Coordinates of all heavy atoms in Angstrom, one line a residue:
M56 N 111.0 -2.2 -12.9 CA 110.0 -2.6 -11.9 C 108.7 -2.7 -12.6 O 108.4 -1.9 -13.5 CB 110.0 -1.6 -10.8 CG 111.3 -1.5 -10.0 SD 111.5 -2.9 -8.9 CE 110.5 -2.3 -7.5
G57 N 107.9 -3.6 -12.1 CA 106.5 -3.7 -12.6 C 105.6 -4.1 -11.5 O 106.0 -4.4 -10.3
S58 N 104.3 -4.2 -11.8 CA 103.3 -4.6 -10.8 C 103.1 -6.1 -10.8 O 103.0 -6.7 -11.9 CB 102.0 -4.0 -11.2 OG 102.1 -2.6 -11.1
V59 N 103.2 -6.7 -9.6 CA 102.9 -8.1 -9.5 C 101.4 -8.4 -9.6 O 100.6 -7.7 -8.9 CB 103.4 -8.7 -8.2 CG1 103.1 -10.2 -8.1 CG2 104.9 -8.4 -8.1
M60 N 101.0 -9.2 -10.5 CA 99.6 -9.5 -10.8 C 99.3 -11.0 -10.6 O 100.2 -11.8 -10.8 CB 99.3 -9.1 -12.3 CG 99.8 -7.8 -12.7 SD 98.8 -6.4 -12.2 CE 97.4 -6.6 -13.2
F61 N 98.1 -11.3 -10.3 CA 97.7 -12.7 -10.4 C 96.3 -12.7 -11.0 O 95.6 -11.7 -11.1 CB 97.7 -13.3 -9.0 CG 96.6 -12.8 -8.0 CD1 95.4 -13.6 -7.9 CD2 96.7 -11.6 -7.4 CE1 94.4 -13.1 -7.0 CE2 95.7 -11.2 -6.5 CZ 94.5 -12.0 -6.4
E62 N 95.9 -13.9 -11.4 CA 94.6 -14.1 -12.0 C 93.5 -14.4 -11.0 O 93.7 -15.4 -10.2 CB 94.7 -15.2 -13.1 CG 93.4 -15.3 -14.0 CD 93.6 -16.3 -15.1 OE1 94.3 -16.0 -16.0 OE2 93.0 -17.4 -14.9
C63 N 92.5 -13.7 -11.0 CA 91.3 -14.0 -10.1 C 90.8 -15.3 -10.5 O 90.4 -15.6 -11.6 CB 90.3 -12.9 -10.3 SG 88.7 -13.3 -9.5
P64 N 90.7 -16.2 -9.5 CA 90.2 -17.6 -9.8 C 88.7 -17.6 -10.1 O 88.2 -18.6 -10.6 CB 90.5 -18.4 -8.5 CG 90.5 -17.3 -7.4 CD 91.1 -16.0 -8.1
V65 N 88.0 -16.6 -9.8 CA 86.5 -16.5 -10.0 C 86.2 -15.9 -11.4 O 85.5 -16.5 -12.2 CB 85.8 -15.7 -8.9 CG1 84.4 -15.7 -9.2 CG2 86.1 -16.4 -7.6
T66 N 86.8 -14.7 -11.6 CA 86.5 -14.0 -12.9 C 87.5 -14.2 -14.0 O 87.2 -13.9 -15.1 CB 86.3 -12.5 -12.6 OG1 87.6 -12.0 -12.3 CG2 85.4 -12.2 -11.4
G67 N 88.7 -14.7 -13.6 CA 89.7 -14.8 -14.6 C 90.4 -13.5 -15.0 O 91.2 -13.5 -15.9
Q68 N 90.1 -12.5 -14.3 CA 90.6 -11.2 -14.6 C 91.9 -10.9 -13.8 O 92.1 -11.5 -12.8 CB 89.7 -10.1 -14.3 CG 88.4 -10.2 -15.1 CD 87.6 -8.9 -15.1 OE1 88.0 -7.9 -15.6 NE2 86.4 -9.0 -14.4
A69 N 92.8 -10.1 -14.4 CA 94.0 -9.8 -13.7 C 93.8 -8.9 -12.5 O 93.0 -8.0 -12.6 CB 95.0 -9.1 -14.7
V70 N 94.5 -9.2 -11.4 CA 94.3 -8.5 -10.2 C 95.7 -8.0 -9.8 O 96.6 -8.7 -9.6 CB 93.7 -9.4 -9.1 CG1 93.6 -8.5 -7.8 CG2 92.4 -10.0 -9.5
P71 N 95.8 -6.7 -9.6 CA 97.1 -6.1 -9.1 C 97.2 -6.4 -7.7 O 96.3 -6.1 -6.9 CB 97.0 -4.6 -9.5 CG 95.5 -4.3 -9.5 CD 94.8 -5.6 -9.9
T72 N 98.4 -6.9 -7.2 CA 98.6 -7.2 -5.8 C 99.0 -6.0 -5.0 O 99.0 -6.1 -3.8 CB 99.7 -8.3 -5.7 OG1 100.9 -7.8 -6.2 CG2 99.3 -9.6 -6.5
G73 N 99.4 -5.0 -5.7 CA 100.0 -3.8 -5.0 C 101.5 -4.0 -4.7 O 102.1 -3.0 -4.3
L74 N 102.0 -5.2 -5.0 CA 103.4 -5.4 -4.9 C 104.1 -4.9 -6.2 O 103.6 -5.0 -7.3 CB 103.8 -6.8 -4.7 CG 103.2 -7.5 -3.5 CD1 103.5 -9.0 -3.5 CD2 103.7 -6.9 -2.2
R75 N 105.3 -4.3 -6.0 CA 106.1 -3.9 -7.1 C 107.4 -4.8 -7.1 O 108.0 -5.1 -6.0 CB 106.6 -2.5 -7.0 CG 105.4 -1.5 -6.9 CD 104.8 -1.1 -8.2 NE 105.8 -0.4 -9.0 CZ 105.7 -0.1 -10.3 NH1 104.6 -0.5 -10.9 NH2 106.6 0.5 -10.9
A76 N 107.8 -5.3 -8.2 CA 109.0 -6.2 -8.3 C 109.7 -6.0 -9.6 O 109.1 -5.7 -10.6 CB 108.6 -7.6 -8.0
D77 N 111.0 -6.3 -9.6 CA 111.7 -6.4 -10.8 C 111.4 -7.8 -11.4 O 111.4 -8.8 -10.7 CB 113.2 -6.4 -10.5 CG 114.1 -6.6 -11.7 OD1 114.2 -5.6 -12.5 OD2 114.5 -7.7 -11.9
R78 N 111.1 -7.8 -12.7 CA 110.6 -9.0 -13.2 C 111.5 -10.2 -13.1 O 111.1 -11.3 -12.6 CB 110.3 -8.8 -14.7 CG 109.7 -10.1 -15.4 CD 109.7 -10.0 -16.9 NE 108.7 -9.0 -17.3 CZ 108.7 -8.5 -18.6 NH1 109.5 -9.0 -19.5 NH2 107.8 -7.6 -18.9
R79 N 112.8 -10.0 -13.4 CA 113.7 -11.1 -13.3 C 113.9 -11.6 -11.9 O 114.1 -12.8 -11.6 CB 115.1 -10.7 -14.0 CG 115.1 -11.1 -15.4 CD 116.5 -10.9 -15.9 NE 116.6 -9.7 -16.8 CZ 117.7 -9.3 -17.4 NH1 118.8 -10.0 -17.3 NH2 117.7 -8.3 -18.2
K80 N 114.0 -10.6 -11.0 CA 114.1 -11.0 -9.6 C 112.9 -11.8 -9.1 O 113.0 -12.8 -8.3 CB 114.4 -9.8 -8.7 CG 115.8 -9.3 -8.9 CD 116.1 -8.2 -7.9 CE 117.5 -7.7 -8.0 NZ 117.6 -6.2 -7.9
F81 N 111.8 -11.3 -9.5 CA 110.5 -12.0 -9.0 C 110.5 -13.4 -9.6 O 110.2 -14.4 -8.8 CB 109.3 -11.2 -9.5 CG 108.0 -11.9 -9.1 CD1 107.5 -11.8 -7.8 CD2 107.3 -12.6 -10.1 CE1 106.4 -12.4 -7.5 CE2 106.1 -13.2 -9.7 CZ 105.6 -13.1 -8.4
Y82 N 110.9 -13.6 -10.8 CA 110.8 -14.9 -11.4 C 111.8 -15.9 -10.9 O 111.7 -17.1 -11.0 CB 110.9 -14.9 -12.9 CG 109.7 -14.2 -13.6 CD1 109.8 -13.5 -14.8 CD2 108.4 -14.3 -13.0 CE1 108.7 -12.8 -15.3 CE2 107.3 -13.7 -13.6 CZ 107.5 -13.0 -14.8 OH 106.4 -12.4 -15.4
S83 N 112.9 -15.3 -10.3 CA 113.9 -16.2 -9.7 C 113.8 -16.3 -8.2 O 114.5 -17.1 -7.6 CB 115.3 -15.6 -10.0 OG 115.5 -14.3 -9.4
S84 N 112.8 -15.7 -7.6 CA 112.7 -15.7 -6.2 C 111.9 -17.0 -5.8 O 111.2 -17.6 -6.6 CB 111.9 -14.5 -5.6 OG 110.6 -14.6 -6.2
P85 N 112.1 -17.5 -4.6 CA 111.4 -18.7 -4.2 C 109.9 -18.4 -4.2 O 109.4 -17.3 -4.0 CB 111.8 -18.9 -2.7 CG 113.0 -18.1 -2.5 CD 112.9 -16.9 -3.5
V86 N 109.1 -19.4 -4.6 CA 107.7 -19.3 -4.7 C 107.1 -19.1 -3.3 O 107.6 -19.7 -2.3 CB 107.0 -20.4 -5.5 CG1 107.4 -20.4 -6.9 CG2 107.3 -21.7 -4.8
F87 N 105.9 -18.4 -3.2 CA 105.3 -18.2 -1.9 C 103.8 -18.0 -2.1 O 103.4 -17.8 -3.2 CB 105.9 -17.0 -1.3 CG 105.8 -15.7 -2.1 CD1 104.7 -14.9 -2.0 CD2 106.8 -15.4 -3.0 CE1 104.6 -13.7 -2.8 CE2 106.7 -14.2 -3.8 CZ 105.6 -13.4 -3.6
F88 N 103.1 -18.2 -1.1 CA 101.7 -17.9 -1.1 C 101.5 -16.5 -0.5 O 102.2 -16.0 0.4 CB 100.9 -18.9 -0.3 CG 100.7 -20.2 -1.0 CD1 101.5 -21.3 -0.7 CD2 99.7 -20.3 -1.9 CE1 101.3 -22.5 -1.3 CE2 99.4 -21.5 -2.5 CZ 100.3 -22.6 -2.3
A89 N 100.5 -15.8 -1.0 CA 100.2 -14.5 -0.5 C 98.6 -14.3 -0.6 O 97.9 -15.2 -1.2 CB 100.9 -13.4 -1.2
R90 N 98.2 -13.2 0.0 CA 96.7 -13.0 0.0 C 96.6 -11.5 -0.5 O 97.3 -10.6 0.1 CB 96.1 -13.2 1.3 CG 94.7 -12.9 1.4 CD 94.2 -13.0 2.9 NE 94.2 -14.3 3.4 CZ 93.2 -15.1 3.4 NH1 92.0 -14.7 3.0 NH2 93.3 -16.3 3.9
S91 N 95.7 -11.3 -1.4 CA 95.5 -9.9 -1.8 C 94.0 -9.7 -2.1 O 93.2 -10.6 -2.4 CB 96.2 -9.7 -3.2 OG 97.6 -9.7 -3.0
Y92 N 93.6 -8.4 -1.9 CA 92.2 -8.0 -2.2 C 91.9 -8.0 -3.7 O 92.7 -7.5 -4.5 CB 92.0 -6.6 -1.6 CG 90.7 -6.1 -1.9 CD1 89.5 -6.6 -1.3 CD2 90.5 -5.1 -2.9 CE1 88.3 -6.1 -1.7 CE2 89.3 -4.5 -3.2 CZ 88.2 -5.0 -2.6 OH 87.0 -4.5 -3.0
C93 N 90.8 -8.6 -4.0 CA 90.4 -8.7 -5.4 C 89.2 -7.7 -5.6 O 88.1 -7.9 -5.0 CB 89.9 -10.1 -5.8 SG 89.2 -10.2 -7.4
P94 N 89.4 -6.7 -6.4 CA 88.3 -5.7 -6.6 C 87.2 -6.3 -7.5 O 86.1 -5.8 -7.5 CB 89.0 -4.5 -7.3 CG 90.2 -5.1 -8.0 CD 90.6 -6.3 -7.1
H95 N 87.4 -7.4 -8.2 CA 86.4 -8.0 -9.0 C 85.4 -8.7 -8.2 O 84.2 -8.8 -8.5 CB 87.0 -8.9 -10.0 CG 88.1 -8.3 -10.9 ND1 87.9 -7.2 -11.7 CD2 89.4 -8.5 -11.0 CE1 89.0 -6.8 -12.3 NE2 89.9 -7.6 -11.9
C96 N 85.9 -9.3 -7.1 CA 85.0 -10.1 -6.2 C 84.7 -9.4 -4.9 O 83.9 -9.9 -4.1 CB 85.7 -11.5 -5.9 SG 86.1 -12.4 -7.4
D97 N 85.4 -8.3 -4.6 CA 85.3 -7.6 -3.4 C 85.6 -8.5 -2.2 O 84.9 -8.5 -1.2 CB 83.8 -7.0 -3.2 CG 83.8 -6.0 -2.1 OD1 84.8 -5.4 -1.7 OD2 82.7 -5.9 -1.5
R98 N 86.6 -9.3 -2.3 CA 87.1 -10.1 -1.2 C 88.6 -10.5 -1.5 O 89.1 -10.3 -2.6 CB 86.3 -11.4 -1.0 CG 86.4 -12.4 -2.1 CD 85.4 -13.6 -1.8 NE 85.6 -14.7 -2.7 CZ 86.5 -15.7 -2.4 NH1 87.2 -15.7 -1.4 NH2 86.6 -16.7 -3.3
D99 N 89.2 -11.1 -0.5 CA 90.6 -11.5 -0.6 C 90.7 -12.9 -1.3 O 89.8 -13.7 -1.2 CB 91.3 -11.6 0.7 CG 91.5 -10.2 1.4 OD1 91.3 -9.2 0.7 OD2 91.8 -10.2 2.6
H100 N 91.7 -13.0 -2.1 CA 92.1 -14.3 -2.7 C 93.5 -14.7 -2.2 O 94.3 -13.8 -2.1 CB 92.1 -14.3 -4.2 CG 90.8 -14.1 -4.8 ND1 89.7 -14.8 -4.5 CD2 90.5 -13.3 -5.8 CE1 88.7 -14.4 -5.3 NE2 89.1 -13.4 -6.1
E101 N 93.7 -16.0 -2.0 CA 95.1 -16.4 -1.8 C 95.6 -16.7 -3.2 O 94.9 -17.3 -4.0 CB 95.1 -17.7 -0.9 CG 94.8 -17.3 0.5 CD 95.0 -18.4 1.5 OE1 95.2 -19.6 1.0 OE2 95.1 -18.2 2.7
W102 N 96.9 -16.4 -3.4 CA 97.5 -16.7 -4.7 C 98.9 -17.2 -4.5 O 99.5 -17.0 -3.5 CB 97.4 -15.4 -5.6 CG 98.1 -14.2 -5.0 CD1 97.5 -13.3 -4.2 CD2 99.4 -13.7 -5.1 NE1 98.4 -12.3 -3.8 CE2 99.6 -12.6 -4.4 CE3 100.5 -14.2 -5.8 CZ2 100.8 -11.9 -4.3 CZ3 101.8 -13.5 -5.8 CH2 101.9 -12.4 -5.0
F103 N 99.3 -17.9 -5.5 CA 100.6 -18.6 -5.5 C 101.6 -17.8 -6.4 O 101.2 -17.5 -7.5 CB 100.4 -20.0 -5.9 CG 101.6 -20.9 -5.9 CD1 102.4 -21.0 -4.7 CD2 101.9 -21.6 -7.0 CE1 103.5 -21.8 -4.7 CE2 103.1 -22.5 -7.0 CZ 103.8 -22.5 -5.8
A104 N 102.7 -17.5 -5.9 CA 103.7 -16.7 -6.7 C 104.0 -17.4 -8.0 O 104.3 -16.8 -9.0 CB 104.9 -16.4 -5.9
G105 N 104.0 -18.7 -8.0 CA 104.2 -19.4 -9.3 C 103.2 -19.2 -10.4 O 103.5 -19.4 -11.5
D106 N 102.0 -18.7 -10.0 CA 101.0 -18.4 -10.9 C 100.9 -16.9 -11.2 O 100.1 -16.5 -12.1 CB 99.6 -18.9 -10.4 CG 99.6 -20.4 -10.3 OD1 100.3 -21.1 -11.1 OD2 98.9 -20.9 -9.3
A107 N 101.7 -16.1 -10.5 CA 101.6 -14.7 -10.7 C 102.6 -14.2 -11.7 O 103.5 -15.0 -12.2 CB 101.9 -14.0 -9.3
W108 N 102.5 -13.0 -12.1 CA 103.4 -12.5 -13.1 C 103.7 -11.0 -12.8 O 102.9 -10.4 -12.1 CB 102.9 -12.7 -14.5 CG 101.7 -11.9 -14.9 CD1 101.7 -10.7 -15.5 CD2 100.3 -12.2 -14.7 NE1 100.4 -10.3 -15.7 CE2 99.5 -11.2 -15.2 CE3 99.7 -13.4 -14.1 CZ2 98.1 -11.2 -15.1 CZ3 98.3 -13.4 -14.0 CH2 97.5 -12.3 -14.5
V109 N 104.7 -10.5 -13.4 CA 105.1 -9.1 -13.3 C 104.7 -8.4 -14.6 O 105.1 -8.8 -15.7 CB 106.6 -8.9 -13.0 CG1 106.9 -7.4 -13.0 CG2 106.9 -9.5 -11.7
E110 N 103.9 -7.4 -14.5 CA 103.4 -6.6 -15.6 C 104.2 -5.3 -15.7 O 104.0 -4.5 -14.9 CB 101.9 -6.4 -15.5 CG 101.3 -6.0 -16.8 CD 99.8 -6.2 -16.8 OE1 99.4 -7.4 -16.9 OE2 99.1 -5.2 -16.6
D111 N 105.0 -5.2 -16.7 CA 105.7 -3.9 -17.0 C 105.6 -3.7 -18.5 O 105.6 -4.6 -19.3 CB 107.1 -3.9 -16.5 CG 108.0 -4.9 -17.0 OD1 107.6 -5.7 -17.8 OD2 109.1 -5.0 -16.5
N112 N 105.4 -2.5 -18.9 CA 105.3 -2.1 -20.3 C 104.1 -2.9 -20.9 O 104.2 -3.3 -22.1 CB 106.6 -2.4 -21.1 CG 107.7 -1.6 -20.6 OD1 107.6 -0.5 -20.1 ND2 108.9 -2.2 -20.6
E113 N 103.1 -3.2 -20.1 CA 101.9 -3.8 -20.6 C 102.1 -5.3 -21.1 O 101.2 -5.8 -21.7 CB 101.2 -3.0 -21.7 CG 101.1 -1.5 -21.4 CD 99.8 -1.2 -20.7 OE1 98.8 -1.8 -21.1 OE2 99.8 -0.4 -19.7
R114 N 103.3 -5.8 -20.9 CA 103.5 -7.1 -21.4 C 103.3 -8.2 -20.3 O 103.9 -8.0 -19.2 CB 104.9 -7.3 -22.0 CG 105.0 -6.6 -23.4 CD 106.5 -6.6 -23.8 NE 107.1 -7.9 -23.8 CZ 108.4 -8.1 -23.6 NH1 109.2 -7.2 -23.4 NH2 108.8 -9.4 -23.6
R115 N 102.6 -9.2 -20.6 CA 102.4 -10.3 -19.6 C 103.3 -11.4 -20.0 O 103.2 -12.0 -21.0 CB 100.9 -10.7 -19.7 CG 100.6 -11.8 -18.8 CD 99.1 -12.1 -18.7 NE 98.8 -13.3 -18.1 CZ 97.6 -13.8 -17.7 NH1 96.6 -13.0 -18.0 NH2 97.4 -14.9 -17.2
V116 N 104.1 -11.8 -19.1 CA 105.1 -12.8 -19.3 C 104.9 -13.9 -18.2 O 105.2 -13.7 -17.0 CB 106.5 -12.3 -19.2 CG1 107.5 -13.5 -19.5 CG2 106.7 -11.2 -20.3
P117 N 104.4 -15.1 -18.6 CA 104.3 -16.1 -17.6 C 105.6 -16.5 -16.9 O 106.6 -16.5 -17.6 CB 103.7 -17.3 -18.4 CG 103.2 -16.7 -19.6 CD 104.0 -15.5 -19.9
R118 N 105.6 -16.8 -15.7 CA 106.8 -17.1 -14.9 C 107.6 -18.1 -15.6 O 108.8 -18.0 -15.8 CB 106.4 -17.6 -13.6 CG 107.6 -17.9 -12.7 CD 107.1 -18.5 -11.4 NE 108.3 -18.8 -10.6 CZ 108.8 -18.1 -9.6 NH1 108.3 -16.9 -9.3 NH2 109.9 -18.4 -8.9
F119 N 107.1 -19.2 -16.1 CA 107.8 -20.3 -16.6 C 108.3 -20.1 -18.0 O 109.0 -20.9 -18.6 CB 107.1 -21.6 -16.4 CG 106.8 -21.9 -15.0 CD1 105.5 -21.8 -14.4 CD2 107.9 -22.1 -14.1 CE1 105.3 -22.1 -13.1 CE2 107.6 -22.3 -12.7 CZ 106.3 -22.3 -12.2
D120 N 107.9 -19.0 -18.6 CA 108.5 -18.6 -19.9 C 109.5 -17.6 -19.8 O 110.0 -17.0 -20.8 CB 107.4 -18.1 -20.8 CG 106.4 -19.3 -21.3 OD1 106.8 -20.4 -21.1 OD2 105.3 -19.0 -21.7
A121 N 109.9 -17.3 -18.5 CA 110.8 -16.2 -18.3 C 112.2 -16.5 -18.8 O 112.6 -17.7 -18.9 CB 110.9 -15.9 -16.8
V122 N 113.0 -15.5 -19.2 CA 114.3 -15.7 -19.7 C 115.2 -16.2 -18.5 O 115.1 -15.7 -17.4 CB 114.9 -14.4 -20.2 CG1 116.4 -14.5 -20.6 CG2 114.1 -13.9 -21.3
P123 N 116.0 -17.2 -18.7 CA 116.9 -17.7 -17.6 C 117.7 -16.6 -17.0 O 118.2 -15.7 -17.7 CB 117.8 -18.7 -18.3 CG 117.0 -19.1 -19.5 CD 116.2 -17.9 -20.0
I124 N 117.9 -16.7 -15.7 CA 118.6 -15.6 -15.0 C 120.0 -15.6 -15.4 O 120.7 -14.5 -15.4 CB 118.5 -15.9 -13.5 CG1 117.1 -15.9 -13.0 CG2 119.3 -14.8 -12.7 CD1 116.3 -14.7 -13.4
A125 N 120.6 -16.7 -15.9 CA 122.0 -16.7 -16.3 C 122.2 -15.7 -17.4 O 123.4 -15.4 -17.7 CB 122.3 -18.1 -16.8
A126 N 121.2 -15.3 -18.1 CA 121.4 -14.4 -19.2 C 121.7 -13.0 -18.8 O 122.1 -12.2 -19.6 CB 120.1 -14.4 -20.1
E127 N 121.6 -12.8 -17.5 CA 121.7 -11.4 -17.0 C 123.2 -10.9 -17.1 O 124.1 -11.6 -16.6 CB 121.2 -11.3 -15.5 CG 121.2 -9.8 -15.1 CD 120.4 -9.7 -13.8 OE1 120.1 -10.8 -13.2 OE2 120.0 -8.6 -13.5
Ligands
ZN459 ZN1 88.4 -12.3 -7.6

């Protein structure tokens, strides 16, 4: 499990969404829009799951570079 993160469109900094997800499951799930509070801007941003990533073990893996699920 890792923290679902997205990039703040204003500051470009990583924002934790507060969601926790298994990386492979997150990358294979249908994309969706969500809204999360951004501490950098002190307001909410809407973000797209296709642009988000799961951060575990400090490694940032872009969704579209993820290992195919078939490898599981
Ligand atoms: Zn922001």
Side-chain angles (χ1 to χ4, degrees):
M56 296 285 277
S58 299
V59 179
M60 312 282 289
F61 72 98
E62 186 176 285
C63 169
V65 179
T66 68
Q68 297 194 70
V70 180
T72 62
L74 299 175
R75 303 274 299 167
D77 176 81
R78 182 191 293 170
R79 267 189 253 182
K80 284 188 180 141
F81 179 75
Y82 292 148
S83 64
S84 65
V86 293
F87 57 89
F88 281 99
R90 178 188 292 264
S91 295
Y92 172 73
C93 174
H95 306 299
C96 303
D97 192 28
R98 69 183 190 87
D99 289 347
H100 293 311
E101 290 190 343
W102 55 275
F103 183 52
D106 296 327
W108 68 94
V109 175
E110 195 160 284
D111 57 7
N112 301 325
E113 309 272 319
R114 283 173 54 210
R115 177 172 168 171
V116 180
R118 181 183 178 99
F119 297 113
D120 290 343
V122 176
I124 303 304
E127 188 165 16

